Amino acid sequence: MTALNEDLILPRVQSMLRERFALSEAQVEATHALTELGVDSLAVIEFMFDLETEFDISLSQERADIHTIGDIAALVRATLDKTTTQK
Amino acid sequence: MRRVALTGAGVISPVGTGKSNFFQQISAGISGIRRLQHPDAQRLGLQLAGQIQDFDPSQHFSKERLSTLDRFSQFALVAAHEAWQQAAYPSRFDHSRGGVFVGTGMGGASTLEAGYDALFRQQQNRVRPMSVIATMPNAAAANIGIEFSLRGPCYTYAVACASSSVAIGEAARAIAYGDLDVALAGGAEAMLCLGVLKGWEALMTLAIEDKQAPEQSCKPFAANRCGFVLGEGAGMLVLEDLELAQSRGATILAELVGYGVSNDAVHLSRPEPAGQAAAMRAALKQSQLRGIHLEDIGYINAHGTATKAGDASEVAAICDVFGAHRTALAISSTKAVHGHLMGAAGAIEFIATVLALQAQTLPPTAHLTERDPAFDLDFVPLHARPAPQLRAVMSNSFAFGGANAVLVAAHPDA
């Protein structure tokens, strides 16, 4: 995913969330909080693992506050940026 | 001291899921030892196991839940559900008076191995996020506690092959002392992964394959016995304060009347008849308080691992403890058909013992065509036998490390 357009990150995250947690399109708005969607904290960690695979990044050293789906996309974007800079 | 009733039992084993299937198979002497299904099976000396091959986890758990559950916890939950359902325990109760006691040898061994495989073999630089939570030895107990809202003690015992006998015995003790009203107790094991299998192989305690009849490779008490076959599964029991169980109208399967333990304290793997006898005597001493005497024991489900030294030691210990009564005793090892379930062995074998008491039928020692001539005991060879006067039964578990645990159950009308 080296040439990933920034605008594609959020839709991809939303699509992965829908698939994994059987959520509707309306439920995965960027402003929605995962906890309000009934997603368990351990399931969020599993989801982060999937994100690592999908975007070829490492999130294990990241300690960002993640509340909303938009936060996840932002974290992925920031980590990708960092990775690109380091490369 | 309060009395302890057994009101529910659940089994998932290489010879069937559900206690009825389980008891039917062991009574018929039908072996659950099969060709091991594993990608690296060809690297093993003994490519046989008591493997549960028809288990579909997705039938029992959601995908999300499964990511947190090692196979041993899955087994434990399946067995616990069956036991709890049979006990028909009321949904409203003082949850702080309910406990969980689980024995396991190696906990989430396959999750641990999958992590190592990813790191060392696949050269990945990360492991699954649930690796710790799924591997931890107390994962099965914790999951049972959550599932059934049992908020008293939630303990895990790692006493090798005696783990789940100790778990059941300690649960009984907690109820007898009045600390608890109800407990789910038993054991679970799922360690048919390459590293563990190789470890057992190196210890040279596993059977040599019987080429004519591979499913009969484990031959307890036989002249040509050569070791055990590893198995996997779980057994869980519901234990209750007997008076409370009676007052709620529960069906009582049996009363747990004796629990005895000892430690050889001499050797890490060599069995010691004196230590084994001490555990049996301790269990019998406790049983006497409930009016069950040595002469009332009609059946022993032996530890019976089919190793040269292990069976000889157990036979010597039984003869020592039971003296003249040994001629009236029936003894069998059901490991011949379900394999050695390690941390779960004590639980499924105690359940086999209780089911034998209920059915008044003795499960046989399968594949025992030629008894070791040095052993002068009735091993119920090959075929099940009716035992219409069976009043009390014993189950032996002897562990690597030297710990011994013995459970005695009595018929509810005894």
Side-chain angles (χ1 to χ4, degrees), chain B residues 160-212:
Chain B
C161 319
S163 300
S164 48
S165 299
V166 169
I168 293 164
E170 294 299 325
R173 197 190 290 260
I175 291 169
Y177 275 89
D179 296 339
L180 293 175
D181 295 333
V182 63
L184 263 164
E189 201 74 82
M191 55 180 198
L192 300 178
C193 43
L194 185 63
V196 178
L197 290 161
K198 276 288 173 192
W200 283 104
E201 182 179 301
L203 211 47
M204 301 200 291
T205 53
L206 297 183
I208 307 292
E209 180 174 332
D210 181 330
K211 298 290 179 194
Q212 270 72 49

Side-chain angles (χ1 to χ4, degrees), chain A:
Chain A
M1 285 250 168
T2 46
L4 188 79
N5 185 321
E6 282 195 8
D7 297 339
L8 292 178
I9 296 175
L10 179 63
R12 185 70 201 120
V13 169
Q14 288 169 319
S15 158
M16 288 171 69
L17 281 166
R18 288 180 57 191
E19 197 177 328
R20 182 166 185 116
F21 301 113
L23 298 170
S24 69
E25 203 164 328
Q27 285 176 300
V28 294
E29 292 282 328
T31 53
H32 288 177
L34 288 169
T35 47
E36 285 164 16
L37 296 170
V39 177
D40 179 75
S41 60
L42 290 179
V44 173
I45 298 171
E46 277 283 318
F47 184 67
M48 304 296 265
F49 188 84
D50 291 350
L51 287 173
E52 289 186 332
T53 308
E54 179 69 19
F55 294 101
D56 192 19
I57 52 176
S58 174
L59 298 172
S60 62
Q61 298 304 307
E62 303 297 333
R63 292 294 179 271
D65 278 339
I66 294 172
H67 299 293
T68 66
I69 291 166
D71 291 340
I72 294 176
L75 174 65
V76 170
R77 188 177 303 136
T79 311
L80 273 171
D81 288 348
K82 211 188 295 179
T83 311
T84 311
T85 309
Q86 282 167 357
K87 279 174 184 168

Side-chain angles (χ1 to χ4, degrees), chain B residues 124-403:
Chain B
Q124 292 176 12
N125 211 24
R126 58 178 191 158
V127 297
R128 303 265 350 159
M130 293 307 118
S131 295
V132 170
I133 280 173
T135 300
M136 60 188 193
N138 64 324
N143 275 290
I144 290 171
I146 292 165
E147 191 88 353
F148 300 95
S149 300
L150 300 169
R151 303 199 177 118
C154 183
Y155 293 148
T156 298
Y157 298 87
V159 197
C161 319
S163 300
S164 48
S165 299
V166 169
I168 293 164
E170 294 299 325
R173 197 190 290 260
I175 291 169
Y177 275 89
D179 296 339
L180 293 175
D181 295 333
V182 63
L184 263 164
E189 201 74 82
M191 55 180 198
L192 300 178
C193 43
L194 185 63
V196 178
L197 290 161
K198 276 288 173 192
W200 283 104
E201 182 179 301
L203 211 47
M204 301 200 291
T205 53
L206 297 183
I208 307 292
E209 180 174 332
D210 181 330
K211 298 290 179 194
Q212 270 72 49
E215 74 284 0
Q216 299 184 17
S217 296
C218 177
K219 305 169 193 295
F221 306 118
N224 61 344
R225 69 188 182 279
C226 56
F228 53 82
V229 178
L230 289 168
E232 62 176 357
M236 295 297 301
L237 284 157
V238 176
L239 283 70
E240 293 185 53
D241 175 319
L242 186 125
E243 276 186 29
L244 291 176
Q246 282 171 332
S247 68
R248 75 175 182 88
T251 302
I252 293 164
L253 313 179
E255 180 178 351
L256 200 162
V257 293
Y259 165 51
V261 294
S262 71
N263 190 27
D264 296 343
V266 287
H267 196 273
L268 285 172
S269 63
R270 189 184 66 230
E272 180 67 31
Q276 298 174 355
M280 282 188 259
R281 286 202 173 93
L284 287 167
K285 189 176 173 190
Q286 204 176 79
S287 306
Q288 281 180 16
L289 301 172
R290 296 282 166 253
I292 298 297
H293 301 279
L294 182 146
E295 295 77 17
D296 295 314
I297 306 290
Y299 170 67
I300 300 177
N301 187 297
H303 187 56
T305 54
T307 63
K308 289 282 180 200
D311 286 4
S313 176
E314 185 167 14
V315 166
I318 289 170
C319 291
D320 179 33
V321 170
F322 287 89
H325 180 62
R326 72 180 185 277
T327 55
L329 263 178
I331 296 143
S332 70
S333 169
T334 48
K335 280 190 178 74
V337 291
H338 53 61
H340 195 338
L341 273 66
M342 297 294 153
I348 72 156
E349 289 162 21
F350 183 55
I351 290 170
T353 312
V354 169
L355 295 174
L357 184 64
Q358 260 205 310
Q360 301 276 285
T361 301
L362 308 176
T365 302
H367 330 317
L368 185 56
T369 46
E370 192 188 342
R371 191 182 67 181
D372 186 324
F375 301 163
D376 188 20
L377 290 170
D378 172 8
F379 296 112
V380 197
L382 302 174
H383 303 292
R385 189 190 303 158
Q389 305 299 320
L390 195 59
R391 211 170 155 235
V393 289
M394 175 181 272
S395 178
N396 285 342
S397 297
F398 307 137
F400 267 9

